[in-house]
Amino acid sequence: MDPYKFRPSSAHNSPYWTTNSGAPVWNNNNSLTVGSRGPILLEDYHLLEKLAQFDRERIPERVVHARGAVAKGFFEVTHDISNLTCADFLRAPGVQTPVIVRFSTVVHERGSPETLRDPRGFAVKFYTREGNFDMVGNNMPVFFIRDGMKFPDMVHAFKPNPKSHIQECWRIMDFLSHHPESCHMLSFLLDDVGIPKNYRMMPGFGVHTFKLINKAGKETYVKFHWVPKLGTHSLLDDEAVVVGGTNHSHATKDLYDAIAAGDYPEWTLLVQTMDPVDEDKFDFDPLDVTKTWPENLFPMHPVGRMVLNRNPDNFFNENEQVAFCPAIVVPGITYSDDKLLQTRVFSYADTQRHRLGPNYLLLPVNAPKCAHHNNHHEGLMNFMHRDEEINYFPSRFDPVRHAERTPVSAIPITGKRDRVVIPKENNFKQAGERWRSFDPARQERFVDRVASFLLDPRCTNEIRRIWVGYWSQCDSNLGQKIAGRLQKAGAL
């Protein structure tokens, strides 16, 4: 008998019940007892195994992005960008690459409603011939903070109060009052787009600035954008109450049902590019994750399309165990010096090692679909079959060699060690421009939402005055409107 033929797969299920070790179970209905009424015997191994397995069915949920839904499909290149990158999966129009995509809410628990005002995750794993590439983004193009040092604090502020386990606006506004760079992100979160109608009508953004590198070694800054074919649609506050009250999993159901019916959602991948020699020519820092690149200066260029045409085979295996990390890139794509990106490069893999174990990249949903080879072995729950005698490098007994060299980032880095804020903060300009782009009714809804956050009874007058000052610097009319709402409520 080949002991590896029946590797873990439901495709090799026996026609009768067995224990996990394969022993036949002739009665899966009754415990082993003394007499017909008990007591139960400790030697009933099948009962103990069944209960112990059940007790451990749940793994730690994600600290953020706990609530999510996945779908599978393909990415197809439609436009040639081989002049910008040597990434194999982008080598030519017509090339298709399998993908798995996870959409998620950010702050709340795994079973929370999908109609809460919250950023959404938009993470894509490309299974390329050169290994996996994870594009780990959100449905909003910017973020609240620009330095990863503040990420745990930011999440704590948005999470429920550790004493009451209730999310409270005063905690959010207190924390963000120390971070005026958050105004731009709040101009998205508290705007109408703060509650997507569903995942199929939701855009995605790489958020950070990355680098593309071509075969000659030329580097280009890049921003990634996913545009839904169905357009971007959102729920207003009253609509969200109705939808969420009817089905708290409405977005997951909408995605699953559409794919099951053959109505496959599709997105266009667009990029904005910038020559690194130009990065100091603007009044904002192009690597600042709280900023967007103006489209009149950096137009969008199409790259390809993504179609999701398969639902998960198993929700736990492919949703709870899928793991994304922005550190996972392929030749031709690499990181910029964005401070938040640099910390995510470590943190995302680290949290997966905690949540899923050190061998999480062996799980089928996370493993590359191309041949791979290294000496990372053993450790908790390692299930890869290995029969080599050599587990070190180099060795005269193992012919394995280094891969062919690929272009890497070669831009010189200079400076002294320091802990400082970036020189070009420019915290208010883009938030003000965005608010002025709204029609009057949309502007008023934004003002109402900001005021409702600041009217939390535990928001102090100091916090309210700070925010009126911030929004006034974004736009004087905006600041006056918010101050007026607060004064009308006797809160300023």
Side-chain angles (χ1 to χ4, degrees):
M1 181 180 71
D2 181 355
Y4 295 103
K5 179 178 180 181
F6 299 103
R7 61 194 179 279
S9 169
S10 60
H12 302 296
N13 280 353
S14 65
Y16 50 82
W17 292 116
T18 72
T19 65
N20 282 352
S21 58
V25 172
W26 68 271
N27 188 330
N28 193 32
N29 292 321
N30 305 108
S31 305
L32 182 63
T33 59
V34 177
S36 61
R37 301 180 64 233
I40 290 174
L41 293 175
L42 186 62
E43 68 183 66
D44 189 348
Y45 174 78
H46 175 55
L47 170 66
L48 299 185
E49 180 184 76
K50 188 175 183 179
L51 291 175
Q53 180 74 28
F54 174 74
D55 293 342
R56 292 163 176 80
E57 283 182 358
R58 296 295 173 263
I59 60 176
E61 74 173 30
R62 295 165 170 87
V63 177
V64 287
H65 299 275
R67 167 66 126 135
V70 298
K72 298 177 285 188
F74 64 87
F75 173 78
E76 180 181 19
V77 179
T78 57
H79 292 72
D80 185 6
I81 61 166
S82 59
N83 62 312
L84 298 173
T85 178
C86 61
D88 177 75
F89 80 102
L90 298 173
R91 64 188 179 274
V95 174
Q96 289 192 357
T97 301
V99 299
I100 187 167
V101 181
R102 187 173 190 268
F103 307 102
S104 57
T105 59
V106 174
V107 173
H108 296 280
E109 294 90 344
R110 188 157 48 195
S112 57
E114 293 179 308
T115 48
L116 297 177
R117 185 168 295 277
D118 194 16
R120 302 303 195 265
F122 194 121
V124 183
K125 187 182 294 290
F126 299 79
Y127 298 107
T128 88
R129 302 194 307 183
E130 294 182 307
N132 293 350
F133 168 47
D134 288 357
M135 189 185 294
V136 193
N138 285 335
N139 72 320
M140 299 175 185
V142 292
F143 203 60
F144 299 99
I145 54 173
R146 60 169 66 95
D147 193 319
M149 178 68 82
K150 302 307 301 178
F151 188 76
D153 301 290
M154 186 217 75
V155 173
H156 289 166
F158 275 81
K159 286 281 190 179
N161 185 322
K163 183 175 182 178
S164 65
H165 198 67
I166 298 171
Q167 187 187 40
E168 295 170 325
C169 294
W170 68 268
R171 288 164 43 83
I172 297 170
M173 301 311 280
D174 172 37
F175 172 75
L176 294 181
S177 71
H178 299 275
H179 298 281
E181 67 268 29
S182 64
C183 287
H184 198 193
M185 179 62 170
L186 287 175
S187 75
F188 285 89
L189 181 64
L190 300 183
D191 175 32
D192 291 352
V193 300
I195 307 176
K197 184 174 183 179
N198 54 51
Y199 294 135
R200 296 183 298 130
M201 300 175 183
M202 186 177 83
F205 303 90
V207 183
H208 300 285
T209 299
F210 288 82
K211 289 180 182 178
L212 300 177
I213 308 178
N214 66 14
K215 291 180 180 179
K218 179 176 173 51
E219 301 176 37
T220 303
Y221 286 142
V222 64
K223 289 271 197 182
F224 296 110
H225 304 258
W226 294 106
V227 177
K229 185 176 181 180
L230 294 175
T232 298
H233 300 276
S234 306
L235 296 174
L236 296 180
D237 301 80
D238 292 344
E239 295 172 327
V241 171
V242 174
V243 172
T246 303
N247 181 358
H248 78 293
S249 299
H250 82 285
T252 296
K253 178 174 171 54
D254 174 84
L255 179 66
Y256 192 96
D257 288 352
I259 293 174
D263 185 12
Y264 303 137
E266 182 174 332
W267 287 260
T268 299
L269 178 63
L270 304 169
V271 294
Q272 291 175 288
T273 60
M274 178 191 300
D275 192 322
V277 301
D278 296 330
E279 64 178 301
D280 291 328
K281 296 180 179 179
F282 311 100
D283 62 0
F284 66 95
D285 186 335
L287 306 189
D288 180 358
V289 74
T290 70
K291 304 294 185 294
T292 56
W293 294 0
E295 290 186 38
N296 62 317
L297 299 177
F298 306 98
M300 300 283 185
H301 299 286
V303 176
R305 68 186 187 112
M306 179 173 69
V307 178
L308 300 182
N309 56 12
R310 291 177 56 203
N311 279 314
D313 298 319
N314 180 274
F315 185 83
F316 179 81
N317 289 346
E318 295 180 307
N319 182 80
E320 292 305 299
Q321 293 194 130
V322 69
F324 297 90
C325 176
I328 296 179
V329 295
V330 292
I333 303 174
T334 191
Y335 331 115
S336 74
D337 295 337
D338 173 348
K339 292 183 181 182
L340 188 61
L341 174 59
Q342 292 282 320
T343 48
R344 290 180 75 209
V345 162
F346 163 76
S347 182
Y348 274 57
D350 188 54
T351 195
Q352 303 300 353
R353 294 185 185 105
H354 160 71
R355 196 174 68 87
L356 299 172
N359 288 299
Y360 77 94
L361 289 175
L362 295 181
L363 294 168
V365 71
N366 298 321
K369 307 312 175 194
C370 60
H372 54 289
H373 185 178
N374 58 49
N375 288 327
H376 305 166
H377 68 127
E378 300 180 359
L380 185 68
M381 297 304 291
N382 188 311
F383 49 85
M384 177 179 284
H385 170 64
R386 307 183 76 130
D387 57 9
E388 304 94 340
E389 293 184 286
I390 306 303
N391 61 352
Y392 51 87
F393 179 82
S395 169
R396 292 180 175 84
F397 296 93
D398 186 348
V400 67
R401 55 179 173 78
H402 287 120
E404 296 297 322
R405 182 165 183 167
T406 55
V408 298
S409 180
I411 295 177
I413 301 175
T414 60
K416 65 177 183 177
R417 291 181 176 89
D418 212 342
R419 296 179 183 270
V420 294
V421 177
I422 63 173
K424 294 181 182 178
E425 290 191 78
N426 201 352
N427 293 321
F428 308 110
K429 179 182 178 182
Q430 290 193 357
E433 290 173 341
R434 178 169 169 76
W435 184 75
R436 287 190 293 274
S437 73
F438 300 163
D439 62 56
R442 188 172 175 181
Q443 287 182 344
E444 292 301 316
R445 289 192 294 270
F446 178 80
V447 170
D448 287 342
R449 295 184 191 111
V450 172
S452 70
F453 271 53
L454 293 173
L455 286 172
D456 185 302
R458 293 191 64 181
C459 260
T460 65
N461 283 340
E462 178 189 14
I463 292 173
R464 291 168 182 153
R465 283 194 296 268
I466 288 171
W467 276 108
V468 169
Y470 286 168
W471 292 119
S472 296
Q473 291 179 76
C474 295
D475 183 277
S476 59
N477 191 31
L478 172 58
Q480 290 172 3
K481 285 178 176 291
I482 293 171
R485 294 288 201 286
L486 298 178
Q487 288 168 348
K488 184 177 181 179
L492 193 65

